[in-house]
Amino acid sequence: MKVLSGIQPTGPIHWGNYFGAIRQYIALQDNEQAFYFIANLHALTTVREPAKLRDWTHDIAIDLLALGLNPDKATLFVQSDVPEVSELCWLLMTGAPMGLLERCHAYKDKKAKGLTADAGLFTYPVLQAADILAYDSDTVPVGEDQVQHIEVCRDLAGSFNHEFGDVFVMPNAYVLETSARVPGTDGEKMSKSYNNTLAVFEDAKAQRKQIMRIVTDSRPMDQPKEPAGDVLYDLYSLVAPTADREAMAALYRRGGFGYGEVKKALADAAEKYWAEPRTRRADLAAHPARIREILGDGAAKARTKAAQVLRRAQDACGVAQR
Ligand code: ATP
Ligand code: MG
């Protein structure tokens, strides 16, 4: 399989991003040929502060490496370092039906909320298609919510192939297990936009404070409770070793404990779980030249591949002179 996935540098990554996506992307590097890119061109549709966009792009590279992305196995690069993708995007744009894009939910949702969308958001699925097709990717790991965009990619690739010959490899969505729908500190889905996140690389003390503030229900302490679905238990399950998780589940079912204890156990487990990546991150952050080198090498590899695919597409549709 040739796997491709991107992550937007729109802020510090949180537990939801890690357990819902990043952890699973990284695991694929062991058995598949993997390309991972930092989607700064996509992020530009929402992040309009240059310093932030630059910092978050750099930071997320460090985050991914600290979490186990191995640049000797996978190709890690920044989206805008491969300008071939933007050229390919235009070729795809010329055949992209308006109706198809109008049905895409990122745009539709924004319009439904009465917000004004720009052409960047409207055409975002086309750039995403170019991202995928530029590397002949056949497998795109995504959450349920992104399946539609992969369908758009297949539509665009299919009609280009139909018109101009066999240019693009048809990608397939590889839907990640959705069991990891991580709840936020307010019990809703953890999300940057809801301001309810636990950041992966938060300082341990600050994280403990956030955990202590998690909203719990007002159930009397002595009543037994089903653990699954409880915010504290669900978060605890992600970071605690199996034996501790089972002991905690038994405690819930027995009753007679306070949420304060559970929060403390959660904070302890979280501190242990993230300790190693945090140490690795500090070390990586102290060596910015190494990060630049990794991203530079990644971009060079990605460009070589993207240039071949772009050339194929240009040739086929007649914008390249023979
Ligand atoms: P935004 O609020 O801007 O949508 P976000 O915090 O939801 O940001 P995304 O950029 O939408 O993060 O998501 C990045 C990846 O992390 C996606 O693959 C998404 O499925 C996954 N993800 C985000 N939040 C969660 C969550 N709470 N549980 C599981 N997976 C999540
Ligand atoms: Mg989201």
Side-chain angles (χ1 to χ4, degrees):
M1 290 199 306
K2 288 188 77 179
V3 177
L4 174 104
S5 62
I7 177 158
Q8 289 199 47
T10 48
I13 56 165
H14 55 71
W15 293 26
N17 299 144
Y18 179 70
F19 292 106
I22 295 171
R23 179 174 66 168
Q24 305 178 68
Y25 297 163
I26 291 178
L28 289 166
Q29 74 185 357
D30 292 324
N31 301 311
E32 318 300 338
Q33 196 184 337
F35 279 72
Y36 298 126
F37 69 98
I38 301 167
N40 60 341
L41 295 176
H42 286 296
L44 189 58
T45 61
T46 49
V47 182
R48 308 297 290 178
E49 292 169 75
K52 274 199 173 152
L53 185 56
R54 246 190 298 272
D55 286 352
W56 285 339
T57 301
H58 178 78
D59 287 351
I60 215 156
I62 302 179
D63 294 347
L64 293 171
L65 294 165
L67 289 168
L69 192 147
N70 179 347
D72 295 328
K73 291 183 179 167
T75 304
L76 174 67
F77 60 99
V78 176
Q79 185 182 26
S80 62
D81 284 343
V82 186
E84 286 79 3
V85 170
S86 300
E87 293 186 41
L88 191 56
C89 178
W90 178 258
L91 301 187
L92 294 168
M93 198 90 87
T94 56
M98 292 293 285
L100 181 69
L101 302 181
E102 275 160 5
R103 286 193 297 276
C104 285
H105 60 73
Y107 168 74
K108 229 167 85 175
D109 293 354
K110 195 154 183 181
K111 276 211 73 178
K113 283 186 195 139
L115 302 167
T116 52
D118 57 29
L121 182 73
F122 183 65
T123 55
Y124 158 104
V126 187
L127 180 57
Q128 193 176 52
D131 287 321
I132 296 167
L133 300 174
Y135 309 106
D136 284 339
S137 324
D138 52 28
T139 308
V140 190
V142 287
E144 200 75 60
D145 55 336
Q146 280 288 326
V147 173
Q148 185 191 36
H149 288 171
I150 308 305
E151 281 308 313
V152 170
C153 176
R154 289 172 58 87
D155 275 3
L156 296 177
S159 50
F160 197 95
N161 283 352
H162 183 72
E163 255 185 305
F164 300 120
D166 211 7
V167 173
F168 296 122
V169 171
M170 279 296 194
N172 290 299
Y174 166 85
V175 181
L176 299 171
E177 45 157 328
T178 44
S179 58
R181 187 179 183 278
V182 180
T185 53
D186 58 356
E188 298 299 314
K189 181 187 169 191
M190 188 179 288
S191 184
K192 261 165 281 179
S193 349
Y194 303 160
N195 208 9
N196 64 356
T197 61
L198 295 170
V200 167
F201 290 105
E202 190 63 86
D203 148 81
K205 242 185 175 165
Q207 183 133 97
R208 186 168 291 268
K209 272 195 193 150
Q210 289 172 335
I211 288 174
M212 291 303 165
R213 282 198 298 263
I214 291 176
V215 183
T216 53
D217 64 31
S218 52
R219 177 190 63 97
M221 279 167 27
D222 52 353
Q223 273 173 30
K225 181 173 184 175
E226 181 49 38
D230 178 76
V231 185
L232 291 177
Y233 178 79
D234 288 347
L235 290 171
Y236 185 74
S237 322
L238 295 169
V239 292
T242 313
D244 294 357
R245 174 162 41 93
E246 282 164 4
M248 182 63 80
L251 191 64
Y252 267 73
R253 294 201 177 95
R254 200 186 66 210
F257 64 96
Y259 282 129
E261 295 164 54
V262 187
K263 287 180 177 176
K264 195 176 163 303
L266 170 58
D268 291 343
E271 193 170 335
K272 276 206 199 95
Y273 189 85
W274 300 117
E276 228 181 273
R278 276 179 194 150
T279 308
R280 270 202 301 270
R281 193 185 191 291
D283 184 50
L284 287 156
H287 297 93
R290 172 86 187 111
I291 306 301
R292 275 197 297 277
E293 187 187 311
I294 290 171
L295 293 176
D297 289 351
K301 269 193 234 161
R303 280 197 81 169
T304 305
K305 182 69 207 171
Q308 291 166 3
V309 176
L310 175 64
R311 183 69 201 187
R312 226 157 60 205
Q314 287 173 326
D315 250 350
C317 69
V319 300
Q321 296 302 323
R322 292 220 163 114

